[in-house]
Short mmCIF file of all heavy atoms in Angstrom, two decimals:
data_model
loop_
_atom_site.label_atom_id
_atom_site.label_comp_id
_atom_site.label_asym_id
_atom_site.label_seq_id
_atom_site.Cartn_x
_atom_site.Cartn_y
_atom_site.Cartn_z
N LYS A 138 97.83 132.03 -28.24
CA LYS A 138 97.09 130.90 -27.63
C LYS A 138 95.86 130.56 -28.47
O LYS A 138 95.58 129.39 -28.72
CB LYS A 138 96.68 131.25 -26.21
CG LYS A 138 97.85 131.35 -25.24
CD LYS A 138 97.39 131.81 -23.88
CE LYS A 138 98.57 132.09 -22.96
NZ LYS A 138 98.14 132.66 -21.69
N LEU A 139 95.12 131.59 -28.88
CA LEU A 139 93.94 131.35 -29.71
C LEU A 139 94.33 130.75 -31.06
O LEU A 139 93.66 129.85 -31.56
CB LEU A 139 93.18 132.66 -29.93
CG LEU A 139 92.48 133.23 -28.69
CD1 LEU A 139 91.93 134.62 -28.99
CD2 LEU A 139 91.39 132.30 -28.23
N ALA A 140 95.44 131.23 -31.63
CA ALA A 140 95.90 130.68 -32.90
C ALA A 140 96.29 129.22 -32.73
O ALA A 140 96.04 128.39 -33.62
CB ALA A 140 97.07 131.49 -33.44
N GLN A 141 96.91 128.88 -31.60
CA GLN A 141 97.29 127.49 -31.34
C GLN A 141 96.04 126.62 -31.23
O GLN A 141 96.00 125.51 -31.76
CB GLN A 141 98.13 127.39 -30.07
CG GLN A 141 98.66 126.01 -29.80
CD GLN A 141 99.59 125.53 -30.88
OE1 GLN A 141 100.46 126.27 -31.32
NE2 GLN A 141 99.43 124.30 -31.33
N GLU A 142 95.01 127.14 -30.55
CA GLU A 142 93.75 126.40 -30.44
C GLU A 142 93.13 126.18 -31.82
O GLU A 142 92.65 125.08 -32.14
CB GLU A 142 92.77 127.16 -29.55
CG GLU A 142 93.14 127.15 -28.09
CD GLU A 142 92.19 128.00 -27.26
OE1 GLU A 142 91.13 128.42 -27.77
OE2 GLU A 142 92.52 128.26 -26.08
N ARG A 143 93.16 127.22 -32.66
CA ARG A 143 92.62 127.08 -34.01
C ARG A 143 93.41 126.07 -34.82
O ARG A 143 92.86 125.29 -35.58
CB ARG A 143 92.60 128.44 -34.73
CG ARG A 143 91.52 129.37 -34.24
CD ARG A 143 91.39 130.57 -35.15
NE ARG A 143 92.59 131.39 -35.17
CZ ARG A 143 92.79 132.48 -34.43
NH1 ARG A 143 91.84 132.88 -33.61
NH2 ARG A 143 93.91 133.15 -34.52
N ALA A 144 94.73 126.09 -34.65
CA ALA A 144 95.58 125.14 -35.38
C ALA A 144 95.28 123.72 -34.94
O ALA A 144 95.20 122.80 -35.77
CB ALA A 144 97.05 125.48 -35.16
N ASP A 145 95.10 123.53 -33.63
CA ASP A 145 94.76 122.19 -33.13
C ASP A 145 93.40 121.74 -33.65
O ASP A 145 93.23 120.58 -34.05
CB ASP A 145 94.77 122.18 -31.60
CG ASP A 145 96.16 122.40 -31.02
OD1 ASP A 145 97.16 122.19 -31.76
OD2 ASP A 145 96.26 122.78 -29.83
N ALA A 146 92.44 122.66 -33.64
CA ALA A 146 91.10 122.32 -34.15
C ALA A 146 91.16 121.98 -35.64
O ALA A 146 90.52 121.03 -36.10
CB ALA A 146 90.13 123.47 -33.90
N ALA A 147 91.94 122.75 -36.38
CA ALA A 147 92.06 122.48 -37.82
C ALA A 147 92.70 121.12 -38.05
O ALA A 147 92.30 120.38 -38.94
CB ALA A 147 92.89 123.59 -38.49
N LYS A 148 93.70 120.78 -37.23
CA LYS A 148 94.36 119.48 -37.37
C LYS A 148 93.36 118.35 -37.10
O LYS A 148 93.32 117.36 -37.82
CB LYS A 148 95.54 119.40 -36.40
CG LYS A 148 96.36 118.15 -36.54
CD LYS A 148 97.54 118.16 -35.59
CE LYS A 148 98.34 116.88 -35.68
NZ LYS A 148 99.45 116.85 -34.74
N LYS A 149 92.54 118.51 -36.05
CA LYS A 149 91.54 117.50 -35.74
C LYS A 149 90.53 117.35 -36.88
O LYS A 149 90.14 116.24 -37.23
CB LYS A 149 90.81 117.86 -34.44
CG LYS A 149 91.65 117.68 -33.21
CD LYS A 149 90.88 118.10 -31.97
CE LYS A 149 91.75 118.02 -30.73
NZ LYS A 149 91.02 118.48 -29.53
N ILE A 150 90.14 118.48 -37.45
CA ILE A 150 89.18 118.45 -38.55
C ILE A 150 89.78 117.72 -39.75
O ILE A 150 89.13 116.87 -40.38
CB ILE A 150 88.74 119.87 -38.94
CG1 ILE A 150 87.85 120.45 -37.83
CG2 ILE A 150 88.00 119.87 -40.27
CD1 ILE A 150 87.55 121.92 -38.00
N HIS A 151 91.04 118.02 -40.06
CA HIS A 151 91.70 117.36 -41.19
C HIS A 151 91.82 115.86 -40.94
O HIS A 151 91.60 115.05 -41.85
CB HIS A 151 93.08 117.96 -41.44
CG HIS A 151 93.04 119.34 -42.02
ND1 HIS A 151 92.50 119.62 -43.24
CD2 HIS A 151 93.46 120.53 -41.53
CE1 HIS A 151 92.60 120.90 -43.49
NE2 HIS A 151 93.17 121.49 -42.46
N GLU A 152 92.16 115.48 -39.71
CA GLU A 152 92.28 114.06 -39.38
C GLU A 152 90.93 113.35 -39.50
O GLU A 152 90.83 112.25 -40.04
CB GLU A 152 92.86 113.88 -37.98
CG GLU A 152 94.33 114.25 -37.88
CD GLU A 152 94.84 114.26 -36.45
OE1 GLU A 152 94.04 114.07 -35.50
OE2 GLU A 152 96.05 114.47 -36.28
N ALA A 153 89.88 114.00 -38.98
CA ALA A 153 88.54 113.40 -39.04
C ALA A 153 88.07 113.28 -40.49
O ALA A 153 87.48 112.27 -40.89
CB ALA A 153 87.55 114.24 -38.24
#
Side-chain angles (χ1 to χ4, degrees):
K138 292 175 187 174
L139 290 172
Q141 185 63 45
E142 289 176 12
R143 286 190 297 264
D145 294 340
K148 185 178 178 182
K149 288 178 184 177
I150 289 170
H151 289 297
E152 289 172 355

